[in-house]
């Protein structure tokens, strides 16, 4: 007799007898399918209904229609996973429920967010944590609501079009380039780990986020190969002599090039705090001017490369820039007069050569 298969029924033979069990309920079906197929199938349908009724209904949790709910959903998304690690860390400074700039309004319903409300949020954050954080909060809200609009959390983006607070005309230049004298003054008073960090920023143009993580495996004795945390691009730096000597003579006490006295890696904030404390002491002694920071050393390198007359493509490759706009920011600290003199000297030579050619005719 051919074997008959019924969906949802497990059948097996034992000692010349065939036994049938309903898979979902585990109940044995004591009906001979060969002699009473209709009764057998009716019993199967009965057990199917019993099994379906036993499955608990899926409970759909109501969505948390608050700013915090939007942030949390965004952080679980594939788009968030696709962000660069440094970008996620920076966004957390705004959206984190414990330390974020917007932690106090995470429970506010999304319906309350209109442009005028976002303006108020911007101004409140700027008053407490300065203009940059106020503006950055607006930028993060734009990104979060843009994601939310695409995923059905909101119908529009209330942060879109909200203007950023302008820089006061009398405010100091942010990330201003260091002078050569300022670098030597700070470097001379810095402890050994901070000296190495200053060298990486000054001679290689590394950002502080890359300084604290760059491993010894990135250094081959001549060239430092670094994948930038901000852009993800690989930059190969043929170290200038001072940096080359610093790294080749350094004692390797950990995986990272930069470690503290306990041979532990620095954190980004910890390293910046160390520099800030030293700079404040030197400012009080009138040895340096206000406004020195790690990123200012990167700007100093960019200005130096500009003053050397290197073309923009070479400077972009050295600093890991991919756009002309980013490179142009570093030109502001360069010697514009010297660059202008080079341009007009070249133009004067051109006019002279044209005049000579005409006279020859």
């Amino acid at each position: 007799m051919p074997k008959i298969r019924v969906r949802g029924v497990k059948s097996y033979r034992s000692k010349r007898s065939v036994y049938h069990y309903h898979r979902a309920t585990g109940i044995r079906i004591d009906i001979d399918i060969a002699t009473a197929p209709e009764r057998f199938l009716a019993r199967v349908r009965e057990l199917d209904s019993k099994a379906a009724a036993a499955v608990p209904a899926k409970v759909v949790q109501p969505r948390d229609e608050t700013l915090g709910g939007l942030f949390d959903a965004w952080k679980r998304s594939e788009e968030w996973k696709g962000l660069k690690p440094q970008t996620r860390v920076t966004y957390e400074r705004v959206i984190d429920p414990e330390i974020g700039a917007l932690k106090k309004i995470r429970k506010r319903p999304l319906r309350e967010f209109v442009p005028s409300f976002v303006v108020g949020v911007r101004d409140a954050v700027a008053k407490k944590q300065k203009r940059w954080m106020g503006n950055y909060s607006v930028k993060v809200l734009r990104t979060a609501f843009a994601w939310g609009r695409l995923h059905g959390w909101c119908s529009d983006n209330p942060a879109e079009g909200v203007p950023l607070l302008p820089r006061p005309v009398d405010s100091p230049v942010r990330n201003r380039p260091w002078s050569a004298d300022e670098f030597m003054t700070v470097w001379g008073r810095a402890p050994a780990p901070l000296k190495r960090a200053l060298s990486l920023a000054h001679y290689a143009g590394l950002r502080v986020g890359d300084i604290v993580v760059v491993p010894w495996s990135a250094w081959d004795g001549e060239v430092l190969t670094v994948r930038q945390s901000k852009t993800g691009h690989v930059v190969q730096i043929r170290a200038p002599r001072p940096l080359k000597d610093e790294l080749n003579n350094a004692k390797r006490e950990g995986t990272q090039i930069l470690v503290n006295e306990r041979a532990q890696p620095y954190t980004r904030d910890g390293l910046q705090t160390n520099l800030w404390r030293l700079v404040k002491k030197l400012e009080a002694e009138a040895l340096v001017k206000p406004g020195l920071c790690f990123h200012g050393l990167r700007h100093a390198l960019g200005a130096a490369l500009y003053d050397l007359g290197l073309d923009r493509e070479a400077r972009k490759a050295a600093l890991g820039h991919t756009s002309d706009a980013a490179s142009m920011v570093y030109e502001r600290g360069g010697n514009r007069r010297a660059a202008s003199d080079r341009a007009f000297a070249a133009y004067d030579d051109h006019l002279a050569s044209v005049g000579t050619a005409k006279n020859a005719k």
Side-chain angles (χ1 to χ4, degrees):
M1 177 180 177
K3 187 176 181 179
I4 301 174
R5 296 182 180 274
V6 178
R7 183 186 295 274
V9 175
K10 176 180 176 62
S11 302
Y12 68 93
R13 182 180 297 277
S14 176
K15 296 181 180 180
R16 298 186 180 181
S17 297
V18 178
Y19 300 92
H20 308 284
Y21 287 87
H22 187 258
R23 292 182 183 274
T25 61
I27 297 175
R28 179 175 168 179
I29 305 175
D30 294 320
I31 301 173
D32 187 356
I33 191 173
T35 59
E38 293 182 355
R39 286 181 55 211
F40 185 92
L41 294 177
R43 179 58 173 162
V44 171
R45 288 194 292 271
E46 179 186 347
L47 293 175
D48 285 342
S49 300
K50 183 177 181 179
V55 176
K58 185 177 180 180
V59 178
V60 178
Q61 296 291 341
R63 192 162 66 178
D64 182 7
E65 300 282 350
T66 64
L67 182 64
L70 173 64
F71 285 161
D72 293 341
W74 181 28
K75 289 177 63 176
R76 293 190 297 268
S77 71
E78 292 300 317
E79 289 90 340
W80 178 271
K81 295 175 184 176
L83 295 174
K84 296 181 177 65
Q86 186 57 50
T87 302
R88 294 199 296 265
V89 169
T90 311
Y91 282 174
E92 290 284 8
R93 297 175 65 183
V94 175
I95 71 177
D96 186 88
E98 300 296 329
I99 63 171
L102 303 184
K103 63 182 180 181
K104 291 188 177 180
I105 62 170
R106 283 176 57 95
K107 295 183 179 180
R108 301 296 287 265
L110 292 177
R111 63 177 178 274
E112 294 184 5
F113 284 81
V114 295
S116 59
F117 184 81
V118 175
V119 169
V121 171
R122 178 201 67 189
D123 295 345
V125 173
K127 183 176 181 181
K128 185 176 181 180
Q129 301 188 44
K130 298 188 178 181
R131 181 184 63 88
W132 182 89
M133 184 56 77
N135 285 341
Y136 194 65
S137 296
V138 173
K139 294 177 182 178
V140 174
L141 284 173
R142 284 178 190 164
T143 306
F145 276 107
W147 177 89
R149 187 172 64 83
L150 293 176
H151 292 270
W153 282 78
C154 51
S155 58
D156 56 8
N157 189 335
E160 191 67 39
V162 172
L164 304 180
L165 293 170
R167 179 188 295 274
V169 293
D170 57 347
S171 63
V173 177
R174 186 166 174 259
N175 298 326
R176 72 166 182 83
W178 296 35
S179 69
D181 289 341
E182 285 175 326
F183 175 75
M184 295 308 300
T185 298
V186 177
W187 194 86
R189 293 276 291 271
L194 187 54
K195 281 184 176 179
R196 190 173 303 168
L198 292 170
S199 295
L200 288 167
H202 183 58
Y203 297 115
L206 297 193
R207 298 178 179 89
V208 66
D210 295 324
I211 291 173
V212 297
V213 299
V214 61
W216 278 113
S217 59
W219 172 245
D220 66 2
E222 296 281 346
V223 176
L224 187 66
T225 303
V226 179
R227 181 176 294 278
Q228 296 182 324
S229 59
K230 181 177 181 179
T231 65
H233 298 121
V234 175
V235 180
Q236 293 183 311
I237 302 153
R238 184 166 294 280
R241 174 61 63 181
L243 178 59
K244 181 179 178 181
D245 292 343
E246 168 73 27
L247 295 181
N248 285 337
N249 295 328
K251 182 180 179 181
R252 302 192 179 193
E253 300 176 308
T255 303
Q256 279 83 14
I257 290 178
L258 185 68
V259 294
N260 59 25
E261 293 80 359
R262 300 185 302 278
Q264 297 297 315
Y266 276 92
T267 64
R268 176 192 178 105
D269 290 341
L271 183 59
Q272 292 189 117
T273 299
N274 284 354
L275 176 61
W276 180 83
R277 288 173 177 168
L278 176 57
V279 166
K280 287 301 176 184
K281 290 180 181 178
L282 296 175
E283 284 180 16
E285 298 173 25
L287 295 176
V288 298
K289 296 179 181 179
L292 297 183
C293 65
F294 269 111
H295 207 66
L297 289 170
R298 180 174 167 84
H299 279 259
L301 175 60
L305 298 179
Y306 174 79
D307 290 344
L308 288 171
L310 298 177
D311 63 83
R312 186 172 292 163
E313 289 303 315
R315 289 182 278 118
K316 285 163 62 178
L319 294 172
H321 291 147
T322 56
S323 69
D324 288 346
S327 183
M328 289 172 66
V329 172
Y330 291 73
E331 295 175 6
R332 298 171 188 167
N335 189 334
R336 304 286 289 183
R337 172 60 188 276
S340 177
D341 287 348
R342 290 197 303 273
F344 281 104
Y347 184 55
D348 194 33
D349 291 342
H350 167 71
L351 293 177
S353 65
V354 171
T356 301
K358 287 183 177 180
N359 291 334
K361 293 180 180 180

